[in-house]
Amino acid sequence: MKAISRVLIAMVASIAALFVSTGTSHAGLDNELSLVDGQGNTLTIQQWDTFLNGVFPLDRNRLTREWFHSGKATYIVAGDGADDFEGTLELGYQVGFPWSLGVGINFSYTTPNIAFDGWGADFGDVAGPFDSIVTPPFFPGVSISADLGNGPGIQEVATFSVDVAGAGGSVAVSNAHGTVTGAAGGVLLRPFARLISSTGDSVTTYGEPWNMN
């Protein structure tokens, strides 16, 4: 009986640890900014778990920078009209480059994985891991290509945007692929997240620059 009791206690502890780990992930808030809009609601935009992994370019061109991007943008609306909020959530970069070598600089970006975490599932007094619903990736892929022109300069590129509604939600990307071609010298990427309401109010938060040498 003592052995059975120890097994049951271990099972209960394992199940409890599972629920605790689900509710308290190792997420990290990178930056955030809030704005009170024209309707008196407080709009907050956040960036979480931002990671840009610079890799050696496959074309072996010294004018190419290549990276993979993972992260999440979260918006929160507080106020009497929070549940009726509608708008657009954007992710992108400010791209800085010192100069180009006789050609325009081209920026390209592709993500195979975008998931939307839409808040609002209400289970009464029940708390825990079921207070939000996370979809599987619902976009087959998003691609963008932009000519940044000749350097030096700083250009802003919105890599993708999604329509959102309600008091809060998140959009996450995993291993999105980006390249800059034609840049002589280092390239700096400053990731941003932006929330734009249907009435035109906008709030943007910027992360720290990532050096793509």
Side-chain angles (χ1 to χ4, degrees):
M1 290 297 293
K2 291 183 178 179
I4 295 175
S5 298
R6 286 195 294 269
V7 171
L8 290 176
I9 291 173
M11 290 177 62
V12 171
S14 299
I15 294 173
L18 173 63
F19 278 87
V20 169
S21 63
T22 304
T24 57
S25 64
H26 298 288
L29 175 63
D30 299 318
N31 49 83
E32 66 176 349
L33 191 66
S34 296
L35 167 77
V36 178
D37 66 9
Q39 287 69 45
N41 297 315
T42 300
L43 312 181
T44 300
I45 184 70
Q46 302 173 334
Q47 286 191 89
W48 293 76
D49 304 324
T50 304
F51 181 69
L52 273 67
N53 181 25
V55 296
F56 187 79
L58 285 180
D59 64 1
R60 300 189 179 186
N61 188 335
R62 63 188 180 90
L63 303 182
T64 297
R65 305 294 183 271
E66 185 177 7
W67 68 91
F68 293 92
H69 177 197
S70 296
K72 182 171 69 173
T74 296
Y75 81 94
I76 304 168
V77 181
D80 294 337
D83 293 336
D84 299 324
F85 176 83
E86 294 181 354
T88 302
L89 186 61
E90 292 184 349
L91 265 71
Y93 305 101
Q94 286 183 329
V95 184
F97 47 93
W99 56 291
S100 59
L101 196 61
V103 295
I105 296 178
N106 183 266
F107 173 94
S108 65
Y109 174 92
T110 303
T111 175
N113 184 348
I114 301 176
F116 178 65
D117 178 355
W119 301 351
D122 186 2
F123 294 89
D125 295 331
V126 179
F130 307 109
D131 56 1
S132 67
I133 296 176
V134 180
T135 72
F138 62 89
F139 288 140
V142 175
S143 298
I144 185 172
S145 182
D147 185 1
L148 302 182
N150 294 316
I154 300 173
Q155 299 288 339
E156 184 173 282
V157 180
T159 52
F160 72 87
S161 64
V162 294
D163 294 331
V164 294
S170 300
V171 172
V173 295
S174 176
N175 277 334
H177 179 238
T179 61
V180 168
T181 303
V187 173
L188 287 176
L189 298 175
R190 179 186 289 128
F192 71 82
R194 176 175 296 136
L195 180 65
I196 306 171
S197 71
S198 59
T199 57
D201 299 289
S202 173
V203 57
T204 305
T205 183
Y206 295 93
E208 294 296 324
W210 292 69
N211 195 349
M212 299 291 115
N213 282 329

PDB file of all heavy atoms in Angstrom, residues 30-51:
ATOM      1  N   ASP A  30       9.611  41.718 -24.135  1.00  0.00           N
ATOM      2  CA  ASP A  30      10.741  42.499 -24.623  1.00  0.00           C
ATOM      3  C   ASP A  30      10.490  44.001 -24.501  1.00  0.00           C
ATOM      4  O   ASP A  30      11.365  44.748 -24.073  1.00  0.00           O
ATOM      5  CB  ASP A  30      11.041  42.143 -26.083  1.00  0.00           C
ATOM      6  CG  ASP A  30      11.411  40.682 -26.249  1.00  0.00           C
ATOM      7  OD1 ASP A  30      12.165  40.167 -25.407  1.00  0.00           O
ATOM      8  OD2 ASP A  30      10.938  40.052 -27.210  1.00  0.00           O
ATOM      9  N   ASN A  31       9.324  44.459 -24.919  1.00  0.00           N
ATOM     10  CA  ASN A  31       9.007  45.882 -24.867  1.00  0.00           C
ATOM     11  C   ASN A  31       7.518  46.065 -25.049  1.00  0.00           C
ATOM     12  O   ASN A  31       6.818  45.163 -25.538  1.00  0.00           O
ATOM     13  CB  ASN A  31       9.787  46.664 -25.938  1.00  0.00           C
ATOM     14  CG  ASN A  31       9.684  46.024 -27.304  1.00  0.00           C
ATOM     15  OD1 ASN A  31       8.722  46.230 -28.041  1.00  0.00           O
ATOM     16  ND2 ASN A  31      10.676  45.214 -27.660  1.00  0.00           N
ATOM     17  N   GLU A  32       7.003  47.234 -24.634  1.00  0.00           N
ATOM     18  CA  GLU A  32       5.582  47.523 -24.774  1.00  0.00           C
ATOM     19  C   GLU A  32       5.368  49.031 -24.753  1.00  0.00           C
ATOM     20  O   GLU A  32       6.221  49.792 -24.310  1.00  0.00           O
ATOM     21  CB  GLU A  32       4.768  46.864 -23.652  1.00  0.00           C
ATOM     22  CG  GLU A  32       5.051  47.415 -22.273  1.00  0.00           C
ATOM     23  CD  GLU A  32       4.156  46.798 -21.200  1.00  0.00           C
ATOM     24  OE1 GLU A  32       3.199  46.103 -21.546  1.00  0.00           O
ATOM     25  OE2 GLU A  32       4.446  47.033 -20.018  1.00  0.00           O
ATOM     26  N   LEU A  33       4.193  49.450 -25.244  1.00  0.00           N
ATOM     27  CA  LEU A  33       3.825  50.852 -25.231  1.00  0.00           C
ATOM     28  C   LEU A  33       2.303  50.938 -25.213  1.00  0.00           C
ATOM     29  O   LEU A  33       1.614  50.101 -25.814  1.00  0.00           O
ATOM     30  CB  LEU A  33       4.378  51.578 -26.467  1.00  0.00           C
ATOM     31  CG  LEU A  33       4.278  53.109 -26.451  1.00  0.00           C
ATOM     32  CD1 LEU A  33       5.160  53.693 -25.347  1.00  0.00           C
ATOM     33  CD2 LEU A  33       4.694  53.686 -27.804  1.00  0.00           C
ATOM     34  N   SER A  34       1.777  51.956 -24.516  1.00  0.00           N
ATOM     35  CA  SER A  34       0.331  52.134 -24.387  1.00  0.00           C
ATOM     36  C   SER A  34      -0.075  53.510 -24.894  1.00  0.00           C
ATOM     37  O   SER A  34       0.719  54.458 -24.896  1.00  0.00           O
ATOM     38  CB  SER A  34      -0.113  51.966 -22.928  1.00  0.00           C
ATOM     39  OG  SER A  34       0.121  50.651 -22.472  1.00  0.00           O
ATOM     40  N   LEU A  35      -1.344  53.597 -25.300  1.00  0.00           N
ATOM     41  CA  LEU A  35      -1.911  54.836 -25.817  1.00  0.00           C
ATOM     42  C   LEU A  35      -3.386  54.874 -25.455  1.00  0.00           C
ATOM     43  O   LEU A  35      -4.085  53.857 -25.549  1.00  0.00           O
ATOM     44  CB  LEU A  35      -1.754  54.897 -27.345  1.00  0.00           C
ATOM     45  CG  LEU A  35      -2.551  55.975 -28.084  1.00  0.00           C
ATOM     46  CD1 LEU A  35      -1.876  57.330 -27.895  1.00  0.00           C
ATOM     47  CD2 LEU A  35      -2.654  55.641 -29.574  1.00  0.00           C
ATOM     48  N   VAL A  36      -3.876  56.042 -25.038  1.00  0.00           N
ATOM     49  CA  VAL A  36      -5.307  56.233 -24.821  1.00  0.00           C
ATOM     50  C   VAL A  36      -5.900  56.774 -26.114  1.00  0.00           C
ATOM     51  O   VAL A  36      -5.506  57.849 -26.582  1.00  0.00           O
ATOM     52  CB  VAL A  36      -5.583  57.189 -23.651  1.00  0.00           C
ATOM     53  CG1 VAL A  36      -7.084  57.407 -23.486  1.00  0.00           C
ATOM     54  CG2 VAL A  36      -4.976  56.633 -22.363  1.00  0.00           C
ATOM     55  N   ASP A  37      -6.841  56.026 -26.722  1.00  0.00           N
ATOM     56  CA  ASP A  37      -7.377  56.427 -28.019  1.00  0.00           C
ATOM     57  C   ASP A  37      -8.502  57.449 -27.866  1.00  0.00           C
ATOM     58  O   ASP A  37      -8.834  57.892 -26.756  1.00  0.00           O
ATOM     59  CB  ASP A  37      -7.857  55.205 -28.807  1.00  0.00           C
ATOM     60  CG  ASP A  37      -9.065  54.516 -28.167  1.00  0.00           C
ATOM     61  OD1 ASP A  37      -9.656  55.053 -27.208  1.00  0.00           O
ATOM     62  OD2 ASP A  37      -9.429  53.430 -28.652  1.00  0.00           O
ATOM     63  N   GLY A  38      -9.092  57.837 -28.981  1.00  0.00           N
ATOM     64  CA  GLY A  38     -10.132  58.855 -28.968  1.00  0.00           C
ATOM     65  C   GLY A  38     -11.406  58.442 -28.283  1.00  0.00           C
ATOM     66  O   GLY A  38     -12.227  59.299 -27.930  1.00  0.00           O
ATOM     67  N   GLN A  39     -11.588  57.127 -28.076  1.00  0.00           N
ATOM     68  CA  GLN A  39     -12.777  56.623 -27.388  1.00  0.00           C
ATOM     69  C   GLN A  39     -12.545  56.387 -25.897  1.00  0.00           C
ATOM     70  O   GLN A  39     -13.433  55.883 -25.206  1.00  0.00           O
ATOM     71  CB  GLN A  39     -13.244  55.311 -28.043  1.00  0.00           C
ATOM     72  CG  GLN A  39     -13.914  55.487 -29.407  1.00  0.00           C
ATOM     73  CD  GLN A  39     -12.947  55.928 -30.478  1.00  0.00           C
ATOM     74  OE1 GLN A  39     -11.841  55.392 -30.574  1.00  0.00           O
ATOM     75  NE2 GLN A  39     -13.332  56.920 -31.265  1.00  0.00           N
ATOM     76  N   GLY A  40     -11.362  56.725 -25.420  1.00  0.00           N
ATOM     77  CA  GLY A  40     -11.053  56.557 -24.006  1.00  0.00           C
ATOM     78  C   GLY A  40     -10.541  55.186 -23.632  1.00  0.00           C
ATOM     79  O   GLY A  40     -10.329  54.908 -22.445  1.00  0.00           O
ATOM     80  N   ASN A  41     -10.308  54.309 -24.620  1.00  0.00           N
ATOM     81  CA  ASN A  41      -9.743  52.994 -24.336  1.00  0.00           C
ATOM     82  C   ASN A  41      -8.214  53.071 -24.318  1.00  0.00           C
ATOM     83  O   ASN A  41      -7.607  53.862 -25.054  1.00  0.00           O
ATOM     84  CB  ASN A  41     -10.181  51.984 -25.400  1.00  0.00           C
ATOM     85  CG  ASN A  41     -11.667  51.770 -25.420  1.00  0.00           C
ATOM     86  OD1 ASN A  41     -12.297  51.616 -24.374  1.00  0.00           O
ATOM     87  ND2 ASN A  41     -12.255  51.764 -26.609  1.00  0.00           N
ATOM     88  N   THR A  42      -7.608  52.246 -23.488  1.00  0.00           N
ATOM     89  CA  THR A  42      -6.152  52.158 -23.442  1.00  0.00           C
ATOM     90  C   THR A  42      -5.697  51.014 -24.326  1.00  0.00           C
ATOM     91  O   THR A  42      -6.024  49.851 -24.085  1.00  0.00           O
ATOM     92  CB  THR A  42      -5.652  51.937 -22.008  1.00  0.00           C
ATOM     93  OG1 THR A  42      -6.073  53.027 -21.183  1.00  0.00           O
ATOM     94  CG2 THR A  42      -4.131  51.852 -21.975  1.00  0.00           C
ATOM     95  N   LEU A  43      -4.934  51.353 -25.366  1.00  0.00           N
ATOM     96  CA  LEU A  43      -4.397  50.360 -26.297  1.00  0.00           C
ATOM     97  C   LEU A  43      -2.958  50.059 -25.921  1.00  0.00           C
ATOM     98  O   LEU A  43      -2.132  50.973 -25.822  1.00  0.00           O
ATOM     99  CB  LEU A  43      -4.461  50.873 -27.737  1.00  0.00           C
ATOM    100  CG  LEU A  43      -5.771  51.493 -28.218  1.00  0.00           C
ATOM    101  CD1 LEU A  43      -5.646  51.919 -29.682  1.00  0.00           C
ATOM    102  CD2 LEU A  43      -6.934  50.532 -28.027  1.00  0.00           C
ATOM    103  N   THR A  44      -2.638  48.797 -25.709  1.00  0.00           N
ATOM    104  CA  THR A  44      -1.277  48.378 -25.362  1.00  0.00           C
ATOM    105  C   THR A  44      -0.787  47.385 -26.390  1.00  0.00           C
ATOM    106  O   THR A  44      -1.490  46.431 -26.737  1.00  0.00           O
ATOM    107  CB  THR A  44      -1.235  47.736 -23.968  1.00  0.00           C
ATOM    108  OG1 THR A  44      -1.694  48.685 -22.990  1.00  0.00           O
ATOM    109  CG2 THR A  44       0.192  47.316 -23.610  1.00  0.00           C
ATOM    110  N   ILE A  45       0.427  47.607 -26.875  1.00  0.00           N
ATOM    111  CA  ILE A  45       1.054  46.690 -27.823  1.00  0.00           C
ATOM    112  C   ILE A  45       2.357  46.191 -27.213  1.00  0.00           C
ATOM    113  O   ILE A  45       3.098  46.970 -26.603  1.00  0.00           O
ATOM    114  CB  ILE A  45       1.300  47.371 -29.187  1.00  0.00           C
ATOM    115  CG1 ILE A  45       1.874  46.389 -30.204  1.00  0.00           C
ATOM    116  CG2 ILE A  45       2.174  48.604 -29.045  1.00  0.00           C
ATOM    117  CD1 ILE A  45       0.901  45.348 -30.660  1.00  0.00           C
ATOM    118  N   GLN A  46       2.631  44.895 -27.350  1.00  0.00           N
ATOM    119  CA  GLN A  46       3.797  44.280 -26.732  1.00  0.00           C
ATOM    120  C   GLN A  46       4.511  43.379 -27.732  1.00  0.00           C
ATOM    121  O   GLN A  46       3.885  42.818 -28.633  1.00  0.00           O
ATOM    122  CB  GLN A  46       3.385  43.429 -25.522  1.00  0.00           C
ATOM    123  CG  GLN A  46       2.645  44.173 -24.437  1.00  0.00           C
ATOM    124  CD  GLN A  46       2.119  43.233 -23.364  1.00  0.00           C
ATOM    125  OE1 GLN A  46       1.869  42.053 -23.625  1.00  0.00           O
ATOM    126  NE2 GLN A  46       1.961  43.744 -22.150  1.00  0.00           N
ATOM    127  N   GLN A  47       5.827  43.219 -27.513  1.00  0.00           N
ATOM    128  CA  GLN A  47       6.610  42.202 -28.221  1.00  0.00           C
ATOM    129  C   GLN A  47       7.166  41.215 -27.196  1.00  0.00           C
ATOM    130  O   GLN A  47       7.719  41.621 -26.172  1.00  0.00           O
ATOM    131  CB  GLN A  47       7.766  42.830 -29.014  1.00  0.00           C
ATOM    132  CG  GLN A  47       7.332  43.560 -30.264  1.00  0.00           C
ATOM    133  CD  GLN A  47       8.499  43.931 -31.158  1.00  0.00           C
ATOM    134  OE1 GLN A  47       8.912  43.177 -32.034  1.00  0.00           O
ATOM    135  NE2 GLN A  47       9.046  45.118 -30.945  1.00  0.00           N
ATOM    136  N   TRP A  48       7.023  39.930 -27.526  1.00  0.00           N
ATOM    137  CA  TRP A  48       7.462  38.861 -26.640  1.00  0.00           C
ATOM    138  C   TRP A  48       8.420  37.920 -27.384  1.00  0.00           C
ATOM    139  O   TRP A  48       8.244  37.652 -28.578  1.00  0.00           O
ATOM    140  CB  TRP A  48       6.273  38.033 -26.154  1.00  0.00           C
ATOM    141  CG  TRP A  48       5.324  38.758 -25.249  1.00  0.00           C
ATOM    142  CD1 TRP A  48       4.380  39.681 -25.601  1.00  0.00           C
ATOM    143  CD2 TRP A  48       5.213  38.610 -23.840  1.00  0.00           C
ATOM    144  NE1 TRP A  48       3.693  40.115 -24.504  1.00  0.00           N
ATOM    145  CE2 TRP A  48       4.171  39.472 -23.398  1.00  0.00           C
ATOM    146  CE3 TRP A  48       5.884  37.823 -22.897  1.00  0.00           C
ATOM    147  CZ2 TRP A  48       3.805  39.566 -22.062  1.00  0.00           C
ATOM    148  CZ3 TRP A  48       5.509  37.920 -21.561  1.00  0.00           C
ATOM    149  CH2 TRP A  48       4.480  38.786 -21.151  1.00  0.00           C
ATOM    150  N   ASP A  49       9.403  37.418 -26.650  1.00  0.00           N
ATOM    151  CA  ASP A  49      10.266  36.324 -27.119  1.00  0.00           C
ATOM    152  C   ASP A  49      10.896  36.602 -28.481  1.00  0.00           C
ATOM    153  O   ASP A  49      11.046  35.698 -29.307  1.00  0.00           O
ATOM    154  CB  ASP A  49       9.477  35.011 -27.192  1.00  0.00           C
ATOM    155  CG  ASP A  49       8.831  34.647 -25.876  1.00  0.00           C
ATOM    156  OD1 ASP A  49       9.446  34.913 -24.832  1.00  0.00           O
ATOM    157  OD2 ASP A  49       7.708  34.107 -25.884  1.00  0.00           O
ATOM    158  N   THR A  50      11.282  37.838 -28.730  1.00  0.00           N
ATOM    159  CA  THR A  50      11.877  38.184 -30.019  1.00  0.00           C
ATOM    160  C   THR A  50      13.273  37.578 -30.127  1.00  0.00           C
ATOM    161  O   THR A  50      14.115  37.751 -29.247  1.00  0.00           O
ATOM    162  CB  THR A  50      11.966  39.711 -30.178  1.00  0.00           C
ATOM    163  OG1 THR A  50      10.661  40.278 -30.012  1.00  0.00           O
ATOM    164  CG2 THR A  50      12.506  40.069 -31.550  1.00  0.00           C
ATOM    165  N   PHE A  51      13.506  36.865 -31.228  1.00  0.00           N
ATOM    166  CA  PHE A  51      14.830  36.284 -31.459  1.00  0.00           C
ATOM    167  C   PHE A  51      15.125  36.287 -32.952  1.00  0.00           C
ATOM    168  O   PHE A  51      14.379  35.717 -33.745  1.00  0.00           O
ATOM    169  CB  PHE A  51      14.917  34.861 -30.917  1.00  0.00           C
ATOM    170  CG  PHE A  51      16.282  34.242 -31.107  1.00  0.00           C
ATOM    171  CD1 PHE A  51      17.369  34.717 -30.394  1.00  0.00           C
ATOM    172  CD2 PHE A  51      16.472  33.205 -31.993  1.00  0.00           C
ATOM    173  CE1 PHE A  51      18.631  34.162 -30.565  1.00  0.00           C
ATOM    174  CE2 PHE A  51      17.725  32.642 -32.176  1.00  0.00           C
ATOM    175  CZ  PHE A  51      18.807  33.122 -31.454  1.00  0.00           C
TER     176      PHE A  51
END
